[in-house]
């Protein structure tokens, strides 16, 4: 073992789903779709969609960007379109604001999910199509009264859980992720801390569907190129999950609290807030 190595079994090799994604030269960047709900009321919910579009081709492209919000039954609630000019060998960010009438809010008791569907079209032809489930919910932390979900104070009753499962290891079937959350909810938990690893996407999907709040945790306290890339990929991958209410930068690192560790933590926190300004940043001890 090397210094700073984990003191639990982290697994090795490929133990999660792997995909090969093939795109047109003009496409939505990987994890390039970001959905936020900055304003919610009983009458209307505001949804802001930010999409990073990449053009790896040799000529500029005039594209139509179509964004639609679907309800849980697959019906379109609202749809907007916008033209965009994407230079050759470049990327642009396109933002749109959509209004959903009488929104159904995501909560622990009613974890209702909408779906954002975005398409890139050139001359009527669909070049790329990406979708992401999301929940319309408002979160707030206060220093004196704690956490609020949709304006309602919620006492967090959570568990710290490693990614493995008894008798299985870390290569969990999708159903086991869901089973873990079901059992924790049956025990009275409403919060889940991913100790000390970026969680499997299937676990966060289960938390979204079942109504479980999540502290999403980074593995190592490092500001190396690899360390920054780990944070970047974690936040971009998970920031559309309504279950995720905070980011954790590290856990029980030997250099935590030292001048060096403090500088590294500040670097990671700045990057995290730049990628997602909607959630607080924390650290575990």
């Amino acid at each position: 073992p090397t210094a700073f190595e984990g003191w639990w079994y982290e697994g090795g090799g490929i133990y999660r789903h792997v995909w090969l994604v093939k795109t047109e030269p003009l496409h939505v960047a990987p994890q390039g779709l970001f959905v936020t709900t900055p304003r919610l009321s009983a009458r209307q919910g505001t949804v802001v969609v930010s999409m990073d579009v990449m053009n790896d081709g040799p000529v500029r492209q005039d594209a139509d960007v179509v964004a639609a919000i679907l309800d849980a039954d697959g019906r379109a609630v609202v749809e907007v379109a916008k033209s965009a000019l994407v230079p050759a060998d470049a990327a642009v960010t396109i933002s749109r604001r959509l209004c959903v009438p009488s929104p159904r809010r995501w909560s622990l008791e009613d974890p209702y999910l909408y779906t954002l569907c975005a398409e890139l079209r050139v001359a009527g032809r669909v070049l790329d199509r990406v979708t992401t489930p999301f929940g319309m919910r408002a979160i707030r932390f206060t220093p004196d009264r704690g956490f609020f979900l949709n304006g309602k104070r919620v006492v967090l009753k959570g568990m710290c859980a490693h990614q493995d499962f008894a008798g299985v290891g870390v290569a969990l079937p999708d159903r086991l992720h869901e089973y873990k959350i079901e059992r924790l909810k049956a025990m009275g938990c409403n919060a889940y801390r991913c100790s000390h690893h970026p969680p499997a996407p299937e676990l966060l999907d289960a938390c979204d569907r079942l109504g479980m709040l999540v502290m999403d945790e980074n593995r190592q306290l490092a500001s190396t190129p690899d360390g920054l890339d780990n944070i970047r990929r974690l936040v971009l991958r998970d920031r559309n999950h309504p279950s995720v209410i905070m980011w954790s930068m590290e856990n029980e690192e030997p250099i935590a609290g030292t001048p060096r560790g403090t500088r590294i933590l500040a670097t990671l926190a700045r990057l995290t807030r730049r990628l997602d300004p909607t959630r607080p940043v924390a650290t575990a001890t």
Side-chain angles (χ1 to χ4, degrees):
T2 62
F4 313 127
E5 187 172 342
W7 56 96
W8 68 96
Y9 177 63
E10 294 191 89
I14 296 175
Y15 54 83
R16 293 182 182 174
H17 296 302
V18 177
W19 297 268
L20 175 64
V21 179
K22 181 181 178 181
T23 68
E24 296 277 353
L26 184 69
H27 59 278
V28 179
Q31 313 297 342
L33 196 61
F34 187 24
V35 184
T36 60
T37 55
R39 292 189 180 87
L40 287 176
S41 70
R43 295 182 57 188
Q44 182 174 282
T46 300
V47 180
V48 176
V49 179
S50 177
M51 184 165 58
D52 297 329
V53 179
M54 300 179 67
N55 181 8
D56 293 331
V59 298
R60 72 176 189 180
Q61 293 278 7
D62 292 301
D64 293 320
V65 180
V66 181
I69 294 176
L70 313 179
D71 64 17
D73 296 319
R75 296 187 295 258
V77 176
V78 60
E79 179 177 302
V80 296
K82 182 179 182 180
S83 298
L85 177 62
V86 188
D89 196 26
V92 298
T93 299
I94 301 168
S95 296
R96 293 297 291 168
R97 188 178 298 265
L98 297 85
C99 294
V100 176
S102 303
R104 187 166 168 181
R105 302 186 189 189
W106 186 94
S107 67
L108 299 178
E109 301 77 22
D110 181 25
Y112 189 85
L113 294 173
Y114 291 89
T115 298
L116 190 283
C117 176
E119 290 184 347
L120 278 179
R121 303 175 184 173
V122 173
R125 176 173 170 247
V126 177
L127 298 186
D128 200 3
R129 183 178 189 268
V130 293
T131 62
T132 183
F134 73 98
M136 302 194 69
R137 55 99 174 107
I139 62 171
R140 178 167 58 96
F141 286 86
T142 66
D144 54 344
R145 299 197 62 202
F147 175 70
F148 287 78
L149 177 63
N150 299 324
K152 176 183 176 182
R153 183 172 181 266
V154 176
V155 177
L156 301 179
K157 302 175 182 178
M159 294 281 291
C160 299
H162 290 169
Q163 63 181 338
D164 57 342
F165 194 86
V168 179
V170 296
L172 272 64
D174 295 350
R175 173 58 188 140
L176 268 184
H177 290 296
E178 189 170 45
Y179 175 78
K180 287 174 67 174
I181 303 306
E182 289 172 348
R183 299 310 302 155
L184 288 174
K185 282 189 68 85
M187 291 168 55
C189 290
N190 62 12
Y192 182 101
R193 176 186 162 211
C194 306
S195 313
H196 321 281
H197 59 278
E202 292 73 28
L203 183 133
L204 294 183
D205 290 342
C207 292
D208 290 346
R209 292 192 304 269
L210 298 174
M212 177 73 76
L213 304 172
V214 177
M215 181 180 188
D216 203 338
E217 191 158 285
N218 177 48
R219 170 64 182 87
Q220 290 181 320
L221 181 61
S223 57
T224 62
D226 283 345
L228 295 176
D229 188 54
N230 287 340
I231 282 285
R232 183 178 293 104
R233 288 188 288 116
L234 170 70
V235 175
L236 292 182
R237 189 196 68 171
D238 296 347
R239 60 186 180 176
N240 290 329
H241 287 279
S243 57
V244 176
I245 60 170
M246 70 175 77
W247 306 106
S248 174
M249 299 292 94
E250 56 91 14
N251 170 73
E252 297 178 354
E253 293 282 357
I255 61 173
T258 67
R260 177 189 171 201
T262 300
R263 290 194 301 270
I264 294 173
L265 181 60
T267 299
L268 298 183
R270 284 195 301 270
L271 174 59
T272 301
R273 294 188 181 102
R274 187 164 68 248
L275 297 171
D276 175 24
T278 70
R279 296 174 176 89
V281 176
T283 181
T285 57

